[in-house]
Amino acid sequence: MGREVSESCIDSLLTEMVSTYCNRFYANKPELAARRIEAIGYQVGHQLSERYTMERPRFSDHLEAIKFICKDFWFELFKKQIDNLKTNHRGTFVLQDNRFRWLTTMSIEQPPENGTSEELSIAADNKALQSMHLYFPCGIIRGALSNLGIPCAVSADISNLPACSFVVRIKA
Amino acid sequence: MIVCVAVVGHQNNPLYIQSFTDADDALKLHHIVHCSLDVVDERVNNPKKSGPTLNDTFLGLLYPTENYKVYGYLTNTKVKFILVTTDLDVRDADVRNEVPCCIC
């Protein structure tokens, strides 16, 4: 439906957004940069969920809404569905994507086992930078769920790239 | 003939109201739309009475008044579309088809 944009444009835009917020706008305040990026994602998710739920029947419960995020919503955004969904049936859901599209262009550097402290700190920095890129999709998920009436908190976990998990905690 | 269309947000805040008749009728139509919001909430919160149409977005005829019929449509994001018509012999199915066109 409507107009389309090339994927490389989106990739460039997202990379540039993270880099600008981290290095120019909030240079020494990664917390604030993260929060701003997440807020942008929240807006986007809010509006996208409105558009993608247009034709479908309403959801009967939280699980239905999460399944919609895993299947239709994720498919619209990334042309694939979430690979694995886990829940503890008490308001926490883990959505695992084995090959997250926006991280495919990121290098995977294994930190050296017995590296010097300098190498380890560089590895830690890289990890922090990679996790910055995940605030936007976390915001998208949070925005989409909030618009469906489910307030929640979303965090991401990239312990093994290129797979990445999003942990959704529904606020009671 | 449709005399009034209203779009109401998820906190029952009016987003758009447009009436298609003479000006002095407009307030009455606004009242009708306001009352129909209660009916929508009732339908959504009473799963036993709704029966098989629980998860349908189109809520059907909400209630008839003396001259008008009021139809409702509820999206997943709790945005309500209210349609007030004067056609006394309009069928549910016709209105059901018209609403998705309005959204797009």
Side-chain angles (χ1 to χ4, degrees), chain A residues 80-108:
Chain A
K80 67 187 282 285
Q81 299 184 351
I82 286 273
D83 298 304
N84 203 343
L85 171 67
K86 286 181 270 214
T87 175
N88 71 351
H89 294 291
R90 253 173 262 135
T92 303
F93 296 86
V94 180
L95 285 65
Q96 186 179 338
D97 190 335
N98 290 335
R99 199 168 182 272
F100 190 50
R101 207 173 178 95
W102 292 342
L103 292 181
T104 48
T105 48
M106 237 182 255
S107 67
I108 307 171

PDB file of all heavy atoms in Angstrom, chain A residues 80-108:
ATOM      1  N   LYS A  80       9.911 -11.021   7.674  1.00  0.00           N
ATOM      2  CA  LYS A  80       9.969 -12.356   8.256  1.00  0.00           C
ATOM      3  C   LYS A  80       9.267 -12.305   9.605  1.00  0.00           C
ATOM      4  O   LYS A  80       9.002 -11.221  10.126  1.00  0.00           O
ATOM      5  CB  LYS A  80      11.418 -12.824   8.435  1.00  0.00           C
ATOM      6  CG  LYS A  80      12.193 -12.018   9.469  1.00  0.00           C
ATOM      7  CD  LYS A  80      13.668 -12.412   9.470  1.00  0.00           C
ATOM      8  CE  LYS A  80      13.940 -13.700  10.195  1.00  0.00           C
ATOM      9  NZ  LYS A  80      13.887 -13.587  11.659  1.00  0.00           N
ATOM     10  N   GLN A  81       8.969 -13.478  10.159  1.00  0.00           N
ATOM     11  CA  GLN A  81       8.312 -13.493  11.457  1.00  0.00           C
ATOM     12  C   GLN A  81       9.343 -13.733  12.546  1.00  0.00           C
ATOM     13  O   GLN A  81      10.463 -14.136  12.284  1.00  0.00           O
ATOM     14  CB  GLN A  81       7.263 -14.599  11.487  1.00  0.00           C
ATOM     15  CG  GLN A  81       6.201 -14.388  10.438  1.00  0.00           C
ATOM     16  CD  GLN A  81       5.119 -15.430  10.547  1.00  0.00           C
ATOM     17  OE1 GLN A  81       5.245 -16.392  11.281  1.00  0.00           O
ATOM     18  NE2 GLN A  81       4.039 -15.234   9.821  1.00  0.00           N
ATOM     19  N   ILE A  82       8.905 -13.513  13.760  1.00  0.00           N
ATOM     20  CA  ILE A  82       9.770 -13.805  14.908  1.00  0.00           C
ATOM     21  C   ILE A  82       9.990 -15.312  14.960  1.00  0.00           C
ATOM     22  O   ILE A  82       9.062 -16.091  14.747  1.00  0.00           O
ATOM     23  CB  ILE A  82       9.088 -13.347  16.211  1.00  0.00           C
ATOM     24  CG1 ILE A  82       9.136 -11.827  16.303  1.00  0.00           C
ATOM     25  CG2 ILE A  82       9.717 -13.936  17.431  1.00  0.00           C
ATOM     26  CD1 ILE A  82      10.390 -11.287  16.922  1.00  0.00           C
ATOM     27  N   ASP A  83      11.223 -15.720  15.245  1.00  0.00           N
ATOM     28  CA  ASP A  83      11.501 -17.158  15.179  1.00  0.00           C
ATOM     29  C   ASP A  83      11.072 -17.911  16.420  1.00  0.00           C
ATOM     30  O   ASP A  83      10.745 -19.089  16.353  1.00  0.00           O
ATOM     31  CB  ASP A  83      13.008 -17.366  14.960  1.00  0.00           C
ATOM     32  CG  ASP A  83      13.442 -16.765  13.643  1.00  0.00           C
ATOM     33  OD1 ASP A  83      12.848 -17.158  12.624  1.00  0.00           O
ATOM     34  OD2 ASP A  83      14.332 -15.898  13.635  1.00  0.00           O
ATOM     35  N   ASN A  84      11.095 -17.241  17.564  1.00  0.00           N
ATOM     36  CA  ASN A  84      10.808 -17.981  18.780  1.00  0.00           C
ATOM     37  C   ASN A  84      10.116 -17.072  19.792  1.00  0.00           C
ATOM     38  O   ASN A  84      10.590 -15.976  20.036  1.00  0.00           O
ATOM     39  CB  ASN A  84      12.144 -18.473  19.366  1.00  0.00           C
ATOM     40  CG  ASN A  84      11.961 -19.661  20.243  1.00  0.00           C
ATOM     41  OD1 ASN A  84      10.845 -19.956  20.680  1.00  0.00           O
ATOM     42  ND2 ASN A  84      13.049 -20.345  20.536  1.00  0.00           N
ATOM     43  N   LEU A  85       9.010 -17.522  20.345  1.00  0.00           N
ATOM     44  CA  LEU A  85       8.332 -16.725  21.364  1.00  0.00           C
ATOM     45  C   LEU A  85       8.234 -17.542  22.634  1.00  0.00           C
ATOM     46  O   LEU A  85       7.752 -18.674  22.621  1.00  0.00           O
ATOM     47  CB  LEU A  85       6.921 -16.347  20.894  1.00  0.00           C
ATOM     48  CG  LEU A  85       6.019 -15.706  21.939  1.00  0.00           C
ATOM     49  CD1 LEU A  85       6.519 -14.346  22.350  1.00  0.00           C
ATOM     50  CD2 LEU A  85       4.595 -15.588  21.403  1.00  0.00           C
ATOM     51  N   LYS A  86       8.718 -16.951  23.740  1.00  0.00           N
ATOM     52  CA  LYS A  86       8.622 -17.668  25.010  1.00  0.00           C
ATOM     53  C   LYS A  86       7.877 -16.772  26.004  1.00  0.00           C
ATOM     54  O   LYS A  86       7.980 -15.550  25.951  1.00  0.00           O
ATOM     55  CB  LYS A  86      10.026 -17.963  25.557  1.00  0.00           C
ATOM     56  CG  LYS A  86      10.747 -19.064  24.802  1.00  0.00           C
ATOM     57  CD  LYS A  86      12.106 -19.330  25.412  1.00  0.00           C
ATOM     58  CE  LYS A  86      13.116 -18.445  24.752  1.00  0.00           C
ATOM     59  NZ  LYS A  86      14.443 -19.006  24.609  1.00  0.00           N
ATOM     60  N   THR A  87       7.155 -17.399  26.922  1.00  0.00           N
ATOM     61  CA  THR A  87       6.472 -16.611  27.931  1.00  0.00           C
ATOM     62  C   THR A  87       6.477 -17.333  29.259  1.00  0.00           C
ATOM     63  O   THR A  87       6.554 -18.559  29.295  1.00  0.00           O
ATOM     64  CB  THR A  87       5.014 -16.315  27.520  1.00  0.00           C
ATOM     65  OG1 THR A  87       4.377 -15.650  28.599  1.00  0.00           O
ATOM     66  CG2 THR A  87       4.274 -17.591  27.230  1.00  0.00           C
ATOM     67  N   ASN A  88       6.389 -16.550  30.315  1.00  0.00           N
ATOM     68  CA  ASN A  88       6.278 -17.200  31.616  1.00  0.00           C
ATOM     69  C   ASN A  88       4.840 -17.141  32.115  1.00  0.00           C
ATOM     70  O   ASN A  88       4.571 -17.432  33.260  1.00  0.00           O
ATOM     71  CB  ASN A  88       7.224 -16.549  32.640  1.00  0.00           C
ATOM     72  CG  ASN A  88       6.763 -15.151  33.040  1.00  0.00           C
ATOM     73  OD1 ASN A  88       5.839 -14.588  32.451  1.00  0.00           O
ATOM     74  ND2 ASN A  88       7.400 -14.587  34.046  1.00  0.00           N
ATOM     75  N   HIS A  89       3.940 -16.769  31.209  1.00  0.00           N
ATOM     76  CA  HIS A  89       2.521 -16.686  31.534  1.00  0.00           C
ATOM     77  C   HIS A  89       2.225 -15.756  32.682  1.00  0.00           C
ATOM     78  O   HIS A  89       1.149 -15.784  33.250  1.00  0.00           O
ATOM     79  CB  HIS A  89       1.933 -18.080  31.827  1.00  0.00           C
ATOM     80  CG  HIS A  89       1.928 -18.960  30.621  1.00  0.00           C
ATOM     81  ND1 HIS A  89       1.114 -18.745  29.537  1.00  0.00           N
ATOM     82  CD2 HIS A  89       2.686 -20.024  30.307  1.00  0.00           C
ATOM     83  CE1 HIS A  89       1.373 -19.653  28.607  1.00  0.00           C
ATOM     84  NE2 HIS A  89       2.310 -20.443  29.041  1.00  0.00           N
ATOM     85  N   ARG A  90       3.194 -14.923  33.012  1.00  0.00           N
ATOM     86  CA  ARG A  90       2.926 -13.970  34.086  1.00  0.00           C
ATOM     87  C   ARG A  90       3.336 -12.582  33.620  1.00  0.00           C
ATOM     88  O   ARG A  90       3.850 -11.790  34.377  1.00  0.00           O
ATOM     89  CB  ARG A  90       3.705 -14.374  35.345  1.00  0.00           C
ATOM     90  CG  ARG A  90       2.793 -14.954  36.405  1.00  0.00           C
ATOM     91  CD  ARG A  90       3.537 -15.522  37.582  1.00  0.00           C
ATOM     92  NE  ARG A  90       3.673 -16.961  37.465  1.00  0.00           N
ATOM     93  CZ  ARG A  90       4.807 -17.605  37.706  1.00  0.00           C
ATOM     94  NH1 ARG A  90       5.882 -16.960  38.049  1.00  0.00           N
ATOM     95  NH2 ARG A  90       4.862 -18.917  37.587  1.00  0.00           N
ATOM     96  N   GLY A  91       3.131 -12.336  32.326  1.00  0.00           N
ATOM     97  CA  GLY A  91       3.358 -10.980  31.838  1.00  0.00           C
ATOM     98  C   GLY A  91       4.712 -10.715  31.237  1.00  0.00           C
ATOM     99  O   GLY A  91       5.016  -9.588  30.895  1.00  0.00           O
ATOM    100  N   THR A  92       5.547 -11.756  31.103  1.00  0.00           N
ATOM    101  CA  THR A  92       6.847 -11.536  30.460  1.00  0.00           C
ATOM    102  C   THR A  92       6.926 -12.384  29.202  1.00  0.00           C
ATOM    103  O   THR A  92       6.606 -13.567  29.229  1.00  0.00           O
ATOM    104  CB  THR A  92       7.997 -11.936  31.400  1.00  0.00           C
ATOM    105  OG1 THR A  92       7.891 -11.199  32.592  1.00  0.00           O
ATOM    106  CG2 THR A  92       9.334 -11.604  30.748  1.00  0.00           C
ATOM    107  N   PHE A  93       7.336 -11.749  28.105  1.00  0.00           N
ATOM    108  CA  PHE A  93       7.449 -12.464  26.841  1.00  0.00           C
ATOM    109  C   PHE A  93       8.842 -12.224  26.286  1.00  0.00           C
ATOM    110  O   PHE A  93       9.358 -11.118  26.376  1.00  0.00           O
ATOM    111  CB  PHE A  93       6.437 -11.945  25.820  1.00  0.00           C
ATOM    112  CG  PHE A  93       5.006 -12.160  26.207  1.00  0.00           C
ATOM    113  CD1 PHE A  93       4.358 -11.241  27.002  1.00  0.00           C
ATOM    114  CD2 PHE A  93       4.317 -13.287  25.783  1.00  0.00           C
ATOM    115  CE1 PHE A  93       3.032 -11.437  27.367  1.00  0.00           C
ATOM    116  CE2 PHE A  93       3.002 -13.483  26.138  1.00  0.00           C
ATOM    117  CZ  PHE A  93       2.359 -12.556  26.942  1.00  0.00           C
ATOM    118  N   VAL A  94       9.421 -13.269  25.679  1.00  0.00           N
ATOM    119  CA  VAL A  94      10.722 -13.101  25.038  1.00  0.00           C
ATOM    120  C   VAL A  94      10.550 -13.396  23.554  1.00  0.00           C
ATOM    121  O   VAL A  94      10.162 -14.495  23.176  1.00  0.00           O
ATOM    122  CB  VAL A  94      11.766 -14.071  25.629  1.00  0.00           C
ATOM    123  CG1 VAL A  94      13.093 -13.874  24.937  1.00  0.00           C
ATOM    124  CG2 VAL A  94      11.900 -13.858  27.112  1.00  0.00           C
ATOM    125  N   LEU A  95      10.813 -12.392  22.733  1.00  0.00           N
ATOM    126  CA  LEU A  95      10.688 -12.560  21.286  1.00  0.00           C
ATOM    127  C   LEU A  95      12.083 -12.700  20.714  1.00  0.00           C
ATOM    128  O   LEU A  95      12.902 -11.793  20.852  1.00  0.00           O
ATOM    129  CB  LEU A  95      10.053 -11.320  20.655  1.00  0.00           C
ATOM    130  CG  LEU A  95       8.562 -11.062  20.805  1.00  0.00           C
ATOM    131  CD1 LEU A  95       8.174 -10.820  22.241  1.00  0.00           C
ATOM    132  CD2 LEU A  95       8.180  -9.858  19.990  1.00  0.00           C
ATOM    133  N   GLN A  96      12.357 -13.834  20.083  1.00  0.00           N
ATOM    134  CA  GLN A  96      13.707 -14.033  19.581  1.00  0.00           C
ATOM    135  C   GLN A  96      13.717 -14.058  18.062  1.00  0.00           C
ATOM    136  O   GLN A  96      12.962 -14.786  17.431  1.00  0.00           O
ATOM    137  CB  GLN A  96      14.263 -15.347  20.108  1.00  0.00           C
ATOM    138  CG  GLN A  96      15.701 -15.542  19.733  1.00  0.00           C
ATOM    139  CD  GLN A  96      16.234 -16.836  20.273  1.00  0.00           C
ATOM    140  OE1 GLN A  96      15.690 -17.366  21.230  1.00  0.00           O
ATOM    141  NE2 GLN A  96      17.266 -17.342  19.665  1.00  0.00           N
ATOM    142  N   ASP A  97      14.585 -13.242  17.512  1.00  0.00           N
ATOM    143  CA  ASP A  97      14.756 -13.192  16.069  1.00  0.00           C
ATOM    144  C   ASP A  97      16.151 -13.699  15.768  1.00  0.00           C
ATOM    145  O   ASP A  97      17.128 -13.108  16.218  1.00  0.00           O
ATOM    146  CB  ASP A  97      14.589 -11.746  15.605  1.00  0.00           C
ATOM    147  CG  ASP A  97      14.501 -11.643  14.090  1.00  0.00           C
ATOM    148  OD1 ASP A  97      15.012 -12.540  13.397  1.00  0.00           O
ATOM    149  OD2 ASP A  97      13.934 -10.654  13.601  1.00  0.00           O
ATOM    150  N   ASN A  98      16.259 -14.803  15.007  1.00  0.00           N
ATOM    151  CA  ASN A  98      17.579 -15.399  14.816  1.00  0.00           C
ATOM    152  C   ASN A  98      18.453 -14.654  13.849  1.00  0.00           C
ATOM    153  O   ASN A  98      19.636 -14.924  13.754  1.00  0.00           O
ATOM    154  CB  ASN A  98      17.435 -16.853  14.344  1.00  0.00           C
ATOM    155  CG  ASN A  98      16.901 -17.709  15.460  1.00  0.00           C
ATOM    156  OD1 ASN A  98      17.071 -17.369  16.622  1.00  0.00           O
ATOM    157  ND2 ASN A  98      16.261 -18.801  15.115  1.00  0.00           N
ATOM    158  N   ARG A  99      17.863 -13.732  13.120  1.00  0.00           N
ATOM    159  CA  ARG A  99      18.694 -12.993  12.193  1.00  0.00           C
ATOM    160  C   ARG A  99      18.074 -11.623  12.013  1.00  0.00           C
ATOM    161  O   ARG A  99      17.410 -11.360  11.030  1.00  0.00           O
ATOM    162  CB  ARG A  99      18.769 -13.742  10.868  1.00  0.00           C
ATOM    163  CG  ARG A  99      19.941 -13.311  10.048  1.00  0.00           C
ATOM    164  CD  ARG A  99      20.202 -14.221   8.863  1.00  0.00           C
ATOM    165  NE  ARG A  99      21.383 -13.717   8.191  1.00  0.00           N
ATOM    166  CZ  ARG A  99      21.356 -12.783   7.243  1.00  0.00           C
ATOM    167  NH1 ARG A  99      20.216 -12.301   6.831  1.00  0.00           N
ATOM    168  NH2 ARG A  99      22.470 -12.337   6.708  1.00  0.00           N
ATOM    169  N   PHE A 100      18.300 -10.760  13.000  1.00  0.00           N
ATOM    170  CA  PHE A 100      17.640  -9.471  13.007  1.00  0.00           C
ATOM    171  C   PHE A 100      18.154  -8.607  11.871  1.00  0.00           C
ATOM    172  O   PHE A 100      19.343  -8.375  11.737  1.00  0.00           O
ATOM    173  CB  PHE A 100      17.873  -8.776  14.350  1.00  0.00           C
ATOM    174  CG  PHE A 100      17.047  -7.567  14.559  1.00  0.00           C
ATOM    175  CD1 PHE A 100      15.684  -7.608  14.343  1.00  0.00           C
ATOM    176  CD2 PHE A 100      17.614  -6.379  14.954  1.00  0.00           C
ATOM    177  CE1 PHE A 100      14.906  -6.486  14.526  1.00  0.00           C
ATOM    178  CE2 PHE A 100      16.845  -5.248  15.139  1.00  0.00           C
ATOM    179  CZ  PHE A 100      15.491  -5.304  14.928  1.00  0.00           C
ATOM    180  N   ARG A 101      17.226  -8.164  11.042  1.00  0.00           N
ATOM    181  CA  ARG A 101      17.584  -7.522   9.783  1.00  0.00           C
ATOM    182  C   ARG A 101      18.461  -6.301   9.958  1.00  0.00           C
ATOM    183  O   ARG A 101      19.364  -6.055   9.156  1.00  0.00           O
ATOM    184  CB  ARG A 101      16.305  -7.114   9.084  1.00  0.00           C
ATOM    185  CG  ARG A 101      16.417  -7.035   7.618  1.00  0.00           C
ATOM    186  CD  ARG A 101      15.040  -6.797   7.044  1.00  0.00           C
ATOM    187  NE  ARG A 101      15.116  -6.659   5.618  1.00  0.00           N
ATOM    188  CZ  ARG A 101      14.913  -7.650   4.761  1.00  0.00           C
ATOM    189  NH1 ARG A 101      14.608  -8.830   5.196  1.00  0.00           N
ATOM    190  NH2 ARG A 101      15.012  -7.448   3.476  1.00  0.00           N
ATOM    191  N   TRP A 102      18.188  -5.520  11.002  1.00  0.00           N
ATOM    192  CA  TRP A 102      18.946  -4.283  11.134  1.00  0.00           C
ATOM    193  C   TRP A 102      20.321  -4.487  11.737  1.00  0.00           C
ATOM    194  O   TRP A 102      21.101  -3.548  11.846  1.00  0.00           O
ATOM    195  CB  TRP A 102      18.159  -3.264  11.962  1.00  0.00           C
ATOM    196  CG  TRP A 102      16.942  -2.765  11.267  1.00  0.00           C
ATOM    197  CD1 TRP A 102      16.679  -2.839   9.939  1.00  0.00           C
ATOM    198  CD2 TRP A 102      15.815  -2.106  11.837  1.00  0.00           C
ATOM    199  NE1 TRP A 102      15.462  -2.271   9.657  1.00  0.00           N
ATOM    200  CE2 TRP A 102      14.912  -1.802  10.795  1.00  0.00           C
ATOM    201  CE3 TRP A 102      15.480  -1.719  13.144  1.00  0.00           C
ATOM    202  CZ2 TRP A 102      13.709  -1.161  11.018  1.00  0.00           C
ATOM    203  CZ3 TRP A 102      14.288  -1.064  13.359  1.00  0.00           C
ATOM    204  CH2 TRP A 102      13.411  -0.788  12.308  1.00  0.00           C
ATOM    205  N   LEU A 103      20.603  -5.735  12.161  1.00  0.00           N
ATOM    206  CA  LEU A 103      21.936  -5.973  12.705  1.00  0.00           C
ATOM    207  C   LEU A 103      22.800  -6.772  11.746  1.00  0.00           C
ATOM    208  O   LEU A 103      23.949  -7.072  12.051  1.00  0.00           O
ATOM    209  CB  LEU A 103      21.836  -6.744  14.023  1.00  0.00           C
ATOM    210  CG  LEU A 103      21.228  -6.006  15.202  1.00  0.00           C
ATOM    211  CD1 LEU A 103      21.236  -6.902  16.414  1.00  0.00           C
ATOM    212  CD2 LEU A 103      21.996  -4.745  15.503  1.00  0.00           C
ATOM    213  N   THR A 104      22.254  -7.146  10.604  1.00  0.00           N
ATOM    214  CA  THR A 104      23.010  -8.024   9.717  1.00  0.00           C
ATOM    215  C   THR A 104      24.259  -7.348   9.189  1.00  0.00           C
ATOM    216  O   THR A 104      25.234  -8.015   8.857  1.00  0.00           O
ATOM    217  CB  THR A 104      22.173  -8.481   8.514  1.00  0.00           C
ATOM    218  OG1 THR A 104      21.542  -7.326   7.960  1.00  0.00           O
ATOM    219  CG2 THR A 104      21.120  -9.468   8.914  1.00  0.00           C
ATOM    220  N   THR A 105      24.238  -6.022   9.121  1.00  0.00           N
ATOM    221  CA  THR A 105      25.418  -5.359   8.580  1.00  0.00           C
ATOM    222  C   THR A 105      26.444  -5.040   9.650  1.00  0.00           C
ATOM    223  O   THR A 105      27.439  -4.395   9.389  1.00  0.00           O
ATOM    224  CB  THR A 105      25.014  -4.040   7.899  1.00  0.00           C
ATOM    225  OG1 THR A 105      24.160  -3.333   8.789  1.00  0.00           O
ATOM    226  CG2 THR A 105      24.282  -4.322   6.604  1.00  0.00           C
ATOM    227  N   MET A 106      26.192  -5.501  10.848  1.00  0.00           N
ATOM    228  CA  MET A 106      27.128  -5.187  11.932  1.00  0.00           C
ATOM    229  C   MET A 106      28.114  -6.310  12.118  1.00  0.00           C
ATOM    230  O   MET A 106      27.737  -7.472  12.092  1.00  0.00           O
ATOM    231  CB  MET A 106      26.342  -4.997  13.220  1.00  0.00           C
ATOM    232  CG  MET A 106      26.583  -3.655  13.828  1.00  0.00           C
ATOM    233  SD  MET A 106      25.715  -3.515  15.333  1.00  0.00           S
ATOM    234  CE  MET A 106      24.422  -2.464  14.795  1.00  0.00           C
ATOM    235  N   SER A 107      29.352  -5.969  12.363  1.00  0.00           N
ATOM    236  CA  SER A 107      30.359  -7.019  12.499  1.00  0.00           C
ATOM    237  C   SER A 107      30.215  -7.686  13.848  1.00  0.00           C
ATOM    238  O   SER A 107      29.822  -7.084  14.837  1.00  0.00           O
ATOM    239  CB  SER A 107      31.746  -6.415  12.382  1.00  0.00           C
ATOM    240  OG  SER A 107      31.985  -5.587  13.486  1.00  0.00           O
ATOM    241  N   ILE A 108      30.549  -8.975  13.843  1.00  0.00           N
ATOM    242  CA  ILE A 108      30.471  -9.734  15.088  1.00  0.00           C
ATOM    243  C   ILE A 108      31.880 -10.015  15.546  1.00  0.00           C
ATOM    244  O   ILE A 108      32.570 -10.842  14.977  1.00  0.00           O
ATOM    245  CB  ILE A 108      29.770 -11.078  14.846  1.00  0.00           C
ATOM    246  CG1 ILE A 108      28.441 -10.845  14.156  1.00  0.00           C
ATOM    247  CG2 ILE A 108      29.591 -11.825  16.139  1.00  0.00           C
ATOM    248  CD1 ILE A 108      27.798 -12.113  13.702  1.00  0.00           C
TER     249      ILE A 108
END
